[in-house]
Amino acid sequence: MQRYFYTQTNTVIKFNHVSKSFRRARILDGIDLQVKLGERVALIGSNGAGKTTLIRCLLGEYTHDGEVLIQGQNPRLQRTEVLGLIGFVPQLPPPLKMPVGQLIDFSAALCNTAPERMFDIARRLGLEMTDILSRPFNKLSGGMKQKLLIAIALGRDAKVLVMDEPAANLDPQARKIFFELLEERAQNATMLISSHRINEVSSLVNRVIELDMGRIVLDESMAENVSMTGLLAARVVSRQAEPALGKALAQWNFRVQDEAGTEWEGEVAGPDRLRFLGMVSRYVAVVSHVSLTEIKT
């Protein structure tokens, strides 16, 4: 599959040959990755692909081989400085016993932000802060915890937003508002968003990265206008006939181009580009080529 590499100019996040193992299991395997200023990256992959481990290495929570930098700083050696640069929403809320009011004050002081900004975002998400200020964080419901963590992350002036399945515990209305909040930050923040629901982030991101068994197997950038509008001519080639891939492509109204059943062509609507790539990436073991070309009208 096609890969894209970036120069260091305006690089915000950098992974240089990063590997991580737990006991004998290799979770990240030589990751080379750069995210530039203004990029909004969807990080996709199946469970166990390495998405959360990559994010935890980025936050300085794990030791690892290779180098990780955020705006030129090492998150292991300069943890306080790095954490002051980013807004982070974890996949699983931490087991904090701290009262909500104290957590808000601490988080606001850490990044020199007015607590009222976090209160405002929480209200937009449907969480009324005055009712829970004295309650321990770990006693909140899963949805309330997630809304509060999002409010803390987005209530600061962080130019880097890192989110690991951030909408997992949100109700439909809060999920809609959350992505509206991200859209408001789209022009002035670099984002790395891990998500299983690629259709949710397709209109927000401008790059998609697929992890499989600890390696980057897909790295696709797109023009801003292509992700929202237009039609793309698509071609998929596999090393051998794969009935499951053929069935999946047929559902996209693709047409087989050879007797062996290894070449397919079709059209993909611009807003569906990431969803299509996510589908194809499930067959990375047999797919040898994917191309998407904007159809000029």
Side-chain angles (χ1 to χ4, degrees), residues 11-283:
T11 297
V12 177
I13 295 171
K14 178 182 178 181
F15 288 81
N16 183 22
H17 207 62
V18 174
S19 296
K20 176 63 180 175
S21 298
F22 293 100
R23 297 182 180 177
R24 297 183 179 180
R26 192 82 150 178
I27 308 302
L28 297 179
D29 190 4
I31 296 291
D32 287 309
L33 170 65
Q34 293 185 25
V35 178
K36 296 192 296 184
L37 183 68
E39 287 194 305
R40 303 181 299 278
V41 180
L43 183 65
I44 65 173
S46 60
N47 288 334
K51 303 188 302 297
T52 296
T53 299
L54 183 144
I55 287 174
R56 291 189 179 278
C57 288
L58 179 64
L59 297 173
E61 295 181 11
Y62 290 157
T63 59
H64 53 79
D65 296 326
E67 180 184 47
V68 176
L69 297 174
I70 298 181
Q71 293 191 348
Q73 299 187 79
N74 185 313
R76 290 286 297 176
L77 302 179
Q78 299 162 290
R79 188 114 192 267
T80 301
E81 293 85 349
V82 167
L83 292 180
L85 295 173
I86 65 176
F88 172 56
V89 180
Q91 181 179 19
L92 297 175
L96 297 175
K97 298 181 180 180
M98 185 183 299
V100 169
Q102 186 178 343
L103 177 60
I104 288 286
D105 289 341
F106 171 79
S107 301
L110 183 65
C111 57
N112 196 28
T113 297
E116 288 73 21
R117 293 182 58 180
M118 298 176 182
F119 279 59
D120 289 342
I121 291 176
R123 291 191 192 97
R124 288 183 62 179
L125 291 167
L127 181 63
E128 185 50 60
M129 297 294 295
T130 55
D131 298 334
I132 61 171
L133 288 177
S134 61
R135 293 175 60 180
F137 177 82
N138 64 343
K139 299 298 183 182
L140 301 179
S141 68
M144 294 170 74
K145 290 176 183 176
Q146 201 71 0
K147 291 175 183 179
L148 181 57
L149 292 172
I150 290 170
I152 290 172
L154 298 185
R156 59 201 309 191
D157 288 323
K159 299 302 182 183
V160 182
L161 299 176
V162 180
M163 305 191 175
D164 192 0
E165 298 290 348
N169 291 315
L170 297 181
D171 56 83
Q173 180 62 19
R175 189 187 298 269
K176 176 178 179 294
I177 293 170
F178 168 61
F179 284 105
E180 289 175 357
L181 288 165
L182 290 185
E183 288 281 2
E184 293 172 8
R185 299 287 295 275
Q187 300 307 312
N188 59 9
T190 300
M191 301 183 188
L192 180 63
I193 306 172
S194 169
S195 178
H196 286 317
R197 299 174 184 243
I198 194 167
N199 59 306
E200 285 188 330
V201 298
S202 61
S203 64
L204 174 68
V205 302
N206 53 24
R207 184 177 174 190
V208 59
I209 293 173
E210 165 90 6
L211 287 183
D212 185 54
M213 298 184 69
R215 295 184 178 182
I216 295 174
V217 295
L218 176 72
D219 187 347
E220 174 80 8
S221 279
M222 61 216 64
E224 298 285 347
N225 61 335
V226 172
S227 67
M228 298 294 291
T229 61
L231 190 66
L232 305 166
R235 182 169 180 263
V236 178
V237 179
S238 60
R239 298 181 182 88
Q240 62 193 48
E242 173 55 57
L245 173 62
K247 182 178 180 180
L249 289 171
Q251 292 176 346
W252 285 77
N253 296 317
F254 271 53
R255 302 166 296 278
V256 66
Q257 301 297 304
D258 65 333
E259 293 184 0
T262 60
E263 296 185 20
W264 295 77
E265 292 184 357
E267 291 80 38
V268 177
D272 292 330
R273 178 174 185 157
L274 294 188
R275 187 163 62 88
F276 172 75
L277 290 172
M279 180 278 293
V280 173
S281 68
R282 294 198 294 269
Y283 304 95

